[in-house]
Structure formats: structure tokens, C-alpha cells
Amino acid sequence: MLGLDALLPAADAAGWRVLHADTADQREWDVFESSWRRGPEGRLAAHPDHLQAADARERLDARRREYVRDYRGVLGFAYLILA
């Protein structure tokens, strides 16, 4: 994974001009993960007896466990505007 200190020169070397650079913090990652799960969780709540509900619930629970246990605090994310 490239840090911002390596990402910006890499963009320059690829021929891009970096007009703006920003990074996501932990709060933004938490919001993203929670927001991502909100849609499928809403469908499960509306259709708890659907044929695929148990499988969907299992996948969502696994994703939440993995996020909290394995990669929360590890990921980095940068927003670049390039020209």
C-alpha cells in the first residue's frame, strides 16, 4: 500500500497533475462500512423469511466481524483530483 508521500509522486510520474489530495480518517471508514451495510440490513428487516435471508445475514455478519476484528484501522484511502 502506498502512503500519500509515495502516491502523489506516482501520480506525477504517470503524467497526472494533482489538483487536490485528501485522505479518509477512521470515522469516515466507520461511516462508509455502516452505510454499506444499511441497504442489505433494511432488505433483511423487510423480508426476514426470504429464501436467501439466512445466507445474506451470514455474509453481513461476517463482513461486520472482519471489519471490526481484521481491517478496521488498517486501511488507508486517498481522494485525488487529477488533471
Side-chain angles (χ1 to χ4, degrees):
M1 178 171 73
L2 295 178
L4 197 58
D5 60 333
L7 182 60
L8 298 180
D12 293 337
W16 293 101
R17 182 100 182 123
V18 178
L19 303 179
H20 178 86
D22 193 7
T23 58
D25 62 19
Q26 187 61 61
R27 186 193 64 76
E28 289 171 303
W29 273 115
D30 290 344
V31 168
F32 174 83
E33 281 290 327
S34 293
S35 297
W36 178 89
R37 284 191 307 273
R38 187 178 310 130
E41 290 288 0
R43 286 188 294 279
L44 279 174
H47 306 283
D49 298 326
H50 188 279
L51 289 173
Q52 297 173 341
D55 185 49
R57 192 172 295 110
E58 228 175 89
R59 285 192 318 270
L60 285 166
D61 290 348
R63 169 80 179 231
R64 186 182 58 231
R65 278 191 308 273
E66 290 167 359
Y67 178 66
V68 172
R69 183 188 63 213
D70 299 332
Y71 64 89
R72 184 179 186 272
V74 175
L75 295 175
F77 194 82
Y79 303 92
L80 302 179
I81 298 175
L82 307 171

